[in-house]
Amino acid sequence: MNIGEKLNKKGDKIYFFYDLGRGPGQRPSTGVFIYANPQNQIQKNFNKEALKILETKKSQLTIEQQAVGTPVIPAHKFKANFVEYFEDYIKLNKREGNRHLTCCLTKFKAYIKSDFISPVDITENFCKRFRRHLLDTLTGETPANYYARFKWVVKAATKDGYFRNNPTEDIPAVRNPSAALKEHLESEEYVALLNTPCFNQQVKLAFLFSCCTGLRWVDVKRLEWQDLQGGTLITRIIQQKTGKPVVLTLHPIAHAILEEIKQLPLGKTTSTNKVFSLPTANGANKVLGEWIKRAGVNKYVTWSCARLSFSILLKDKNVDDVTIAYLMGHTTTRQVQQTYKRHKPKDQSEAISHLPSFNIAGFL
């Protein structure tokens, strides 16, 4: 490995570069310089330290070149902090609209209560404890989704030489079904809400819009006018197969809501303006609770109920699972079949009436 040097125009500093050849881009800078004629002890000391750094860089690059074609990974290529490796993995693999990786890292940092953990501490027992932490603090599919992303990171780190054996290999991601079933709204309850005033009109309109589109809270909160084109909504959910966003056809009620928003004082409709002006998630759910009670709906309803109701009412009308999954931005029908489904019949007597009927007097 050759190191070249070049005097700057002023003639007071010498800059060093890697001499890899004479072609374009074959003389990259090392980022190291020394004073050509040091004027004092400080500059002399600087030169000594700079030359040490230069020698280290040269040695590291030499080792990297020698390691090409071998299973050996130079030690300086490893990160001492697994959190930094995790962060770099997210930068390289994050997908628009998918927050599982980022949220998993947040949960991981909260679990270790630090921004530093050595790869040597990521053992099989540690991974079991982290999975237990996710199951203790999260419900539904979320702990399984987060732990699956953690397994991705650890698997990549194993292939990069951080672990001799993958410590998560024998620890599957598992879901944590909630003991309490989420409430959903029936069609007549939709009508009741439409006819009931709410002291925060923005919350009312945004919730009804979610009911008609299946959008999550985070999606409806950041919805911008540029996401709406004619009678369609261009979502930020990217289809894995086509690489294009999911496009939803708007229900007439959703159209009416948008027209209502435009008439409000805050209804600015420039492309980058948000469609709805909403409080925090907790604030919105408090408003929602009061409004639900005023409408005479005796259910514990949060914003996530809108998405569940959207799926159930489509299913009631015999819309197939594949279509419902697409409208909700899922790549498979698993979520529709397991989570976004009716858990109890709307009318038990109607279901029971389908049993055969006959005169039982002679049998008793």
Side-chain angles (χ1 to χ4, degrees), residues 7 56 81 124 165 188 193 266 286 325 334 342 355 362:
L7 194 65
T56 300
N81 185 2
E124 183 172 324
N165 297 305
E188 59 271 17
L193 288 174
L266 296 176
K286 287 180 180 178
R334 186 171 62 89
R342 185 183 287 279
L355 292 172

Side-chain angles (χ1 to χ4, degrees), residues 282-332:
N282 286 337
N285 278 324
K286 287 180 180 178
V287 173
L288 189 58
E290 291 296 322
W291 176 41
I292 293 292
K293 189 185 300 183
R294 191 176 295 113
V297 178
N298 188 26
K299 293 179 177 179
Y300 177 68
V301 175
T302 61
W303 210 280
S304 61
C305 298
R307 186 168 170 82
L308 176 60
S309 303
F310 175 81
S311 176
I312 288 175
L313 294 183
L314 288 178
K315 188 73 174 175
D316 285 353
K317 296 300 181 182
N318 297 317
V319 178
D320 61 275
D321 289 348
V322 173
T323 301
I324 297 174
Y326 171 83
L327 294 174
M328 301 183 75
H330 294 302
T331 55
T332 70

Side-chain angles (χ1 to χ4, degrees), residues 202-228:
Q202 291 279 342
V203 170
K204 174 180 179 177
L205 295 175
F207 181 76
L208 291 173
F209 191 83
S210 288
C211 289
C212 296
T213 58
L215 291 183
R216 300 178 180 87
W217 159 259
V218 291
D219 296 320
V220 78
K221 184 174 176 62
R222 68 180 182 179
L223 183 67
E224 297 176 353
W225 287 106
Q226 64 184 358
D227 301 325
L228 301 161

Side-chain angles (χ1 to χ4, degrees), residues 139-340:
T139 59
E141 298 287 337
T142 306
N145 288 333
Y146 285 9
Y147 188 72
R149 295 331 186 260
F150 177 69
K151 284 170 68 75
W152 289 3
V153 179
V154 174
K155 183 178 180 179
T158 302
K159 290 188 174 183
D160 285 340
Y162 281 79
F163 308 106
R164 181 174 297 176
N165 297 305
N166 185 343
T168 66
E169 187 173 0
D170 297 327
I171 310 170
V174 293
R175 56 197 297 269
N176 185 20
S178 176
L181 297 177
K182 284 186 178 180
E183 296 280 13
H184 67 274
L185 297 171
E186 303 292 354
S187 54
E188 59 271 17
E189 292 168 334
Y190 270 111
V191 176
L193 288 174
L194 279 167
N195 294 327
T196 302
C198 176
F199 71 82
N200 188 320
Q201 186 73 346
Q202 291 279 342
V203 170
K204 174 180 179 177
L205 295 175
F207 181 76
L208 291 173
F209 191 83
S210 288
C211 289
C212 296
T213 58
L215 291 183
R216 300 178 180 87
W217 159 259
V218 291
D219 296 320
V220 78
K221 184 174 176 62
R222 68 180 182 179
L223 183 67
E224 297 176 353
W225 287 106
Q226 64 184 358
D227 301 325
L228 301 161
Q229 298 180 11
T232 61
L233 165 61
I234 312 297
T235 72
R236 304 188 187 204
I237 302 168
I238 304 300
Q239 300 175 66
Q240 188 174 13
K241 187 173 182 180
T242 66
K244 296 180 179 179
V246 174
V247 179
L248 301 179
T249 300
L250 294 178
H251 188 277
I253 291 179
H255 275 295
I257 289 170
L258 296 176
E259 291 303 315
E260 178 72 16
I261 286 288
K262 292 176 183 178
Q263 304 305 316
L264 297 176
L266 296 176
K268 297 178 182 179
T269 58
T270 54
S271 62
T272 57
N273 278 122
K274 286 186 169 57
V275 176
F276 301 102
S277 178
L278 297 169
T280 63
N282 286 337
N285 278 324
K286 287 180 180 178
V287 173
L288 189 58
E290 291 296 322
W291 176 41
I292 293 292
K293 189 185 300 183
R294 191 176 295 113
V297 178
N298 188 26
K299 293 179 177 179
Y300 177 68
V301 175
T302 61
W303 210 280
S304 61
C305 298
R307 186 168 170 82
L308 176 60
S309 303
F310 175 81
S311 176
I312 288 175
L313 294 183
L314 288 178
K315 188 73 174 175
D316 285 353
K317 296 300 181 182
N318 297 317
V319 178
D320 61 275
D321 289 348
V322 173
T323 301
I324 297 174
Y326 171 83
L327 294 174
M328 301 183 75
H330 294 302
T331 55
T332 70
T333 59
R334 186 171 62 89
Q335 287 279 53
V336 174
Q337 294 167 349
Q338 292 183 358
T339 305
Y340 295 104

Side-chain angles (χ1 to χ4, degrees), residues 19 45 57 61 64 89 91 119 166-167 179 206 209 227 231 240 250 259 267 283 290 344 354-355 358:
D19 190 356
N45 292 340
K57 284 177 173 281
L61 194 56
E64 287 179 29
Y89 182 91
K91 290 176 185 176
N166 185 343
F209 191 83
D227 301 325
Q240 188 174 13
L250 294 178
E259 291 303 315
E290 291 296 322
K344 54 187 177 182
H354 292 292
L355 292 172
F358 49 84

